[in-house]
Amino acid sequence: MVFEKKIMDVRKMADETGLDFSDQIISLETKYQQALKDLYTHLTPIQRVNIARHPNRPTFLDHIFNITDKFVELHGDRAGYDDPAIVTGIGTIDGERYMFMGHQKGRNTKENIQRNFGMPTPHGYRKALRMMYYAEHHGFPIITFIDTPGAFADLKSEELGQGEAIAHNLRTMFGLKVPIVSIVMGEGGSGGALAIGCANKLLMLENAVFYVASPEACAAILWKSAKASPKAAEKLKITATELCKLQIADGIIPEPLGGAHADPSWTSQQIKAAVVETMNELKKMDTQELLKHRTLKFRKIGGFQEGIPVDPKRKVNMKMKEEPPLGMISEAELESEVEKLKQKIVNAKESSTEVSDNGLDKLIEKIKKEVDHEYSEAIKAMGLDERMSMIREEFVKAKQQEQPLHPILINKIDKLKKEFNQGMSGAPNYDRLKSKLDMLNELSQVKNAERIASQKEELNRKLKEVLERPDLKEKVEALNAEIKDSGATSPEDVDEGLMEKIINLKKEIHMEMASVIESFGLHVEAIKPTHIDTSVQTSASEVSAKMGNLNKEINNKIEEVVNSSDLKNMMEMLKMEIVKAGNMPDSSSKDKIDALQQQIKQRLFEAINSSELRKKHEELTAEISEVVDSYGGSNGSLKYTDSEDSSKHEESRVEVNVGGCGN
């Protein structure tokens, strides 16, 4: 616009003064053409929308009069109406007859009002439908021109069946036995455009757009503001280039620089050439091939991508899949899901790929809910639901009042549990419950195996990091060099000083590895020597067996004490005190908690400190000392076990698990 204004000013000055400014005018016109070229070769989608809506853009009738040798307009829908927003008629191109129909916009405000801004009512679509039947009857190929913001959506149009009229056109166009070509010459809005656009070939002018919703409407829906229309236009993929990539449009008809309104005649000739070429291609097809071609064009639209994670921002607005009611999922479906999940885990292991979310936790949670439902159904079937409800109310009331469970309530719970377990096998849904419990146990084992495998992998990685530490590697290399310099070829050749250095370095490495192992909640039990005499090995296995038996006796004794009603009450009181104290306990609460903990520890200590267990412990300690002495030192590798399995013989090591006291 700046260059145009300058050119006009220079020409005006030349006319007024009579001077020659032709060089300046040529220079400005060159710059103008270059600026125009730069602008129109890098148009954004929203700019193309604005060009498609340009008030001077050539209309349907402009193109028709430019490309046809003769044209006769046909009016009316034979139901008393003639919609001026859709123009239909018969015309000839190079002696060939065609049925033309298209949306007609006005060239000024008065014409736009008369033509309803190119938005058809049901009468317009029914007029087009009548002409389609007419063309099929006489064997005329059909050419449609699309340029509408959409079908007119006023109350009267809805009352007259706007949706039905569009649907009727869609259905009919797929069955017409003549070639159909559609040209989008401006904007093609939603169903209003598609109602005359179900063609064998869809061609678009370079700056035309074809959309399901206008950028302004899309922006208002998704971003709550029409100001986001540039972003919406980009996301909607509405330009000719993008629609050809998506195989919705079949070709692009070029426009002159500045848009079709810059040179309407040239644009019309490009449309004529594209139409003739396309029609010649379609005329070679027989009727069945033509119908199949039209159907497949629309069938192939769209693509699917599977296995790609959904963007969390998009997932928020997605409707959640409704889960079937509890108890309505068949065992076969659950078993199928379990098998698929197991196969997925196996495939991931075989391909050595890490699966961030294999759905194991979700499936476990789902089966847990099913199991809970089956338990509830079994309780109802056994007639225990009322007692269960009463006991639950008493339990909740005791918790709310922050009181320890009364022995009578504990007795009721134990009695109900015993009665339920005895009559469970007679429940009508026992088989279903057992099947779902088996599935749950199987998945829990898989989850546990995954957890252990992950821990092992992490532990091995940490141990590897220890062995690859620069300071330790430097010490090992220095010691290897010293051994090499000494000329020793076997352990017997190594002198005492060097052997001491080897043992000290080995101990240092073992200590580092032991600290890593203990950081994973594992307990280092012993250090095995590299060479063990057979008799010593036998003694060690016997001692190990005795230790196992003693551990069992101690655990049984502890379990017996823990299950006693007195200790249970003490544990309940301890939990209540901890809940009352909260995160910032006062000195009084601390004293109460410490006193209860000491009482519980004392009870447990008394249980495992009986004279019989004490005697066995002393005998076993003596045997262990003999075996250790026979090992001849601690030159060997570390052995570690889960710290939860290590025995707790001493009072100082007795700990109270408050979270599990009520179990």
Side-chain angles (χ1 to χ4, degrees):
M1 289 176 70
V2 172
F3 282 125
E4 278 182 341
K5 189 175 184 302
K6 283 182 179 179
I7 291 168
M8 288 173 66
D9 290 343
V10 172
R11 281 177 176 163
K12 185 179 179 182
M13 191 182 297
D15 292 338
E16 289 175 354
T17 61
L19 299 173
D20 184 13
F21 290 101
S22 57
D23 292 342
Q24 288 88 338
I25 292 171
I26 290 169
S27 175
L28 286 170
E29 284 181 342
T30 303
K31 289 180 180 177
Y32 170 76
Q33 289 297 328
Q34 186 60 44
L36 199 64
K37 185 178 180 181
D38 292 342
L39 175 64
Y40 274 81
T41 51
H42 300 92
L43 290 170
T44 62
I46 194 65
Q47 286 174 331
R48 292 193 189 276
V49 171
N50 292 329
I51 293 169
R53 294 171 176 170
H54 197 284
N56 295 332
R57 195 169 177 84
T59 64
F60 168 60
L61 287 175
D62 293 332
H63 288 306
I64 288 297
F65 292 137
N66 283 334
I67 68 175
T68 58
D69 308 320
K70 185 179 180 181
F71 177 75
V72 178
E73 185 177 351
L74 301 174
H75 296 270
D77 63 351
R78 292 294 183 268
Y81 296 96
D82 181 31
D83 186 358
I86 284 187
V87 174
T88 60
I90 300 172
T92 60
I93 299 176
D94 298 336
E96 293 282 340
R97 287 190 183 88
Y98 297 95
M99 174 63 74
F100 293 93
M101 58 188 70
H103 301 99
Q104 176 65 30
K105 288 183 177 179
R107 296 178 183 84
N108 51 50
T109 305
K110 184 179 178 181
E111 281 189 21
N112 268 323
I113 292 171
Q114 182 193 348
R115 300 284 183 180
N116 199 28
F117 295 87
M119 294 185 290
T121 62
H123 314 307
Y125 293 121
R126 288 174 182 138
K127 176 167 73 171
L129 181 66
R130 184 174 77 85
M131 299 307 165
M132 290 176 197
Y133 284 129
Y134 186 85
E136 183 184 37
H137 178 76
H138 293 284
F140 298 153
I142 298 171
I143 302 172
T144 69
F145 285 77
I146 297 168
D147 185 16
T148 178
F152 195 45
D154 70 328
L155 179 61
K156 190 70 176 174
S157 296
E158 295 298 334
E159 287 175 349
L160 292 170
Q162 183 74 284
E164 185 275 339
I166 293 172
H168 200 165
N169 280 25
L170 296 177
R171 185 182 69 180
T172 302
M173 289 189 81
F174 280 107
L176 294 175
K177 297 173 183 177
V178 291
I180 307 174
V181 174
S182 291
I183 295 106
V184 184
M185 57 181 180
E187 56 179 336
S190 191
L194 204 59
I196 59 169
C198 295
N200 292 92
K201 293 280 186 178
L202 177 72
L203 307 176
M204 293 182 69
L205 287 180
E206 188 179 347
N207 294 315
V209 291
F210 198 44
Y211 49 70
V212 69
S214 69
E216 293 81 6
C218 176
I221 294 166
L222 295 183
W223 291 282
K224 312 302 179 190
S225 171
K227 292 180 181 178
S229 56
K231 184 178 179 182
E234 185 181 345
K235 297 289 185 184
L236 282 168
K237 309 289 184 189
I238 58 178
T239 62
T241 308
E242 289 167 330
L243 291 170
C244 278
K245 287 180 183 176
L246 295 170
Q247 297 184 339
I248 292 171
D250 301 293
I252 300 173
I253 301 172
E255 294 185 30
L257 278 178
H261 51 279
D263 193 345
S265 178
W266 185 87
T267 306
S268 296
Q269 293 309 309
Q270 298 301 312
I271 292 173
K272 180 179 178 180
V275 166
V276 170
E277 183 185 349
T278 307
M279 279 297 179
N280 288 338
E281 180 188 337
L282 295 174
K283 284 175 182 177
K284 294 176 184 177
M285 301 181 186
D286 60 30
T287 303
Q288 290 305 316
E289 194 177 354
L290 195 69
L291 292 172
K292 188 176 181 182
H293 176 273
R294 196 178 307 147
T295 303
L296 290 177
K297 170 183 165 46
F298 286 86
R299 283 289 185 187
K300 73 180 180 182
I301 290 175
F304 300 90
Q305 290 179 311
E306 295 184 7
I308 297 174
V310 180
D311 181 2
K313 289 182 181 178
R314 290 178 61 195
K315 202 168 185 177
V316 168
N317 294 324
M318 287 185 176
K319 184 180 178 182
M320 297 294 291
K321 183 180 177 182
E322 293 182 2
E323 292 287 341
L326 291 173
M328 297 302 291
I329 305 174
S330 67
E331 292 175 54
E333 286 179 39
L334 286 175
E335 286 174 2
S336 175
E337 285 188 53
V338 171
E339 288 302 319
K340 283 180 183 176
L341 182 63
K342 284 163 66 178
Q343 190 59 45
K344 185 178 178 182
I345 294 169
V346 169
N347 293 340
K349 285 180 180 177
E350 288 176 355
S351 58
S352 301
T353 55
E354 187 177 345
V355 182
S356 58
D357 181 17
N358 55 21
L360 181 59
D361 291 334
K362 288 182 181 177
L363 188 54
I364 287 176
E365 195 60 35
K366 183 178 180 180
I367 297 178
K368 274 184 181 177
K369 289 178 181 178
E370 287 290 321
V371 168
D372 289 343
H373 175 75
E374 294 296 345
Y375 270 124
S376 300
E377 292 298 311
I379 287 169
K380 287 179 185 176
M382 294 165 67
L384 301 175
D385 48 335
E386 290 185 8
R387 282 173 59 192
M388 174 70 81
S389 300
M390 290 171 62
I391 291 174
R392 186 182 287 117
E393 287 176 9
E394 290 182 43
F395 183 83
V396 171
K397 188 176 179 181
K399 290 291 182 185
Q400 287 174 347
Q401 294 177 354
E402 298 182 351
Q403 295 177 355
L405 294 180
H406 196 278
I408 296 175
L409 179 58
I410 294 171
N411 188 41
K412 284 182 181 179
I413 294 171
D414 292 340
K415 190 175 179 182
L416 180 64
K417 191 190 294 183
K418 186 178 179 182
E419 191 173 338
F420 176 78
N421 290 336
Q422 286 176 348
M424 186 64 230
S425 58
N429 63 335
Y430 176 70
D431 292 336
R432 289 200 307 273
L433 174 59
K434 190 173 182 301
S435 174
K436 290 174 182 178
L437 277 173
D438 291 341
M439 283 186 242
L440 185 60
N441 291 333
E442 187 178 1
L443 289 179
S444 299
Q445 288 173 8
V446 171
K447 184 176 176 62
N448 193 44
E450 280 191 350
R451 180 183 61 82
I452 292 170
S454 175
Q455 285 183 345
K456 280 183 179 178
E457 187 178 342
E458 182 67 15
L459 178 59
N460 288 333
R461 189 180 65 79
K462 292 280 187 183
L463 291 175
K464 189 177 179 182
E465 286 178 5
V466 169
L467 295 174
E468 290 179 353
R469 263 177 37 192
D471 57 333
L472 288 179
K473 286 180 83 172
E474 189 178 336
K475 289 179 182 179
V476 170
E477 287 170 4
L479 192 57
N480 283 336
E482 196 172 340
I483 293 169
K484 190 175 181 181
D485 293 341
S486 69
T489 55
S490 64
E492 289 78 11
D493 298 338
V494 179
D495 59 44
E496 290 183 7
L498 189 55
M499 179 60 77
E500 188 176 351
K501 287 182 181 179
I502 294 170
I503 292 171
N504 288 337
L505 180 59
K506 199 168 186 180
K507 282 182 179 178
E508 184 182 349
I509 294 171
H510 283 170
M511 291 300 292
E512 293 289 343
M513 294 174 76
S515 64
V516 171
I517 291 166
E518 287 172 353
S519 70
F520 279 80
L522 302 170
H523 176 66
V524 179
E525 274 191 350
I527 298 177
K528 284 184 181 176
T530 308
H531 301 289
I532 305 175
D533 185 67
T534 309
S535 60
V536 174
Q537 192 171 356
T538 306
S539 301
S541 61
E542 290 176 359
V543 170
S544 178
K546 288 181 180 179
M547 284 177 67
N549 292 333
L550 182 59
N551 279 339
K552 283 181 183 177
E553 287 189 46
I554 292 170
N555 289 333
N556 290 337
K557 196 72 176 175
I558 291 172
E559 190 175 351
E560 186 181 327
V561 174
V562 168
N563 288 331
S564 65
S565 58
D566 291 344
L567 195 62
K568 277 188 177 180
N569 289 336
M570 289 173 69
M571 288 178 176
E572 286 293 330
M573 290 172 67
L574 176 60
K575 285 200 286 185
M576 290 298 178
E577 288 297 333
I578 290 171
V579 171
K580 282 181 185 177
N583 294 328
M584 301 289 290
D586 54 23
S587 57
S588 175
S589 298
K590 283 183 179 178
D591 292 341
K592 287 181 180 178
I593 290 169
D594 291 340
L596 284 168
Q597 284 181 342
Q598 287 300 324
Q599 289 178 28
I600 293 169
K601 287 180 180 180
Q602 184 62 33
R603 288 290 186 90
L604 294 173
F605 178 68
E606 288 173 0
I608 63 174
N609 203 31
S610 65
S611 57
E612 184 182 350
L613 290 177
R614 199 174 185 81
K615 184 179 177 183
K616 288 183 180 179
H617 181 263
E618 289 170 358
E619 290 174 358
L620 191 56
T621 304
E623 288 185 38
I624 291 171
S625 299
E626 289 177 11
V627 173
V628 170
D629 291 340
S630 63
Y631 271 53
S634 58
N635 177 21
S637 58
L638 296 172
K639 176 187 176 184
Y640 57 88
T641 59
D642 195 321
S643 59
E644 292 179 3
D645 294 334
S646 60
S647 59
K648 303 176 176 61
H649 300 303
E650 301 174 18
E651 180 185 6
S652 60
R653 296 185 62 186
V654 175
E655 296 180 0
V656 179
N657 181 2
V658 176
C661 290
N663 294 334

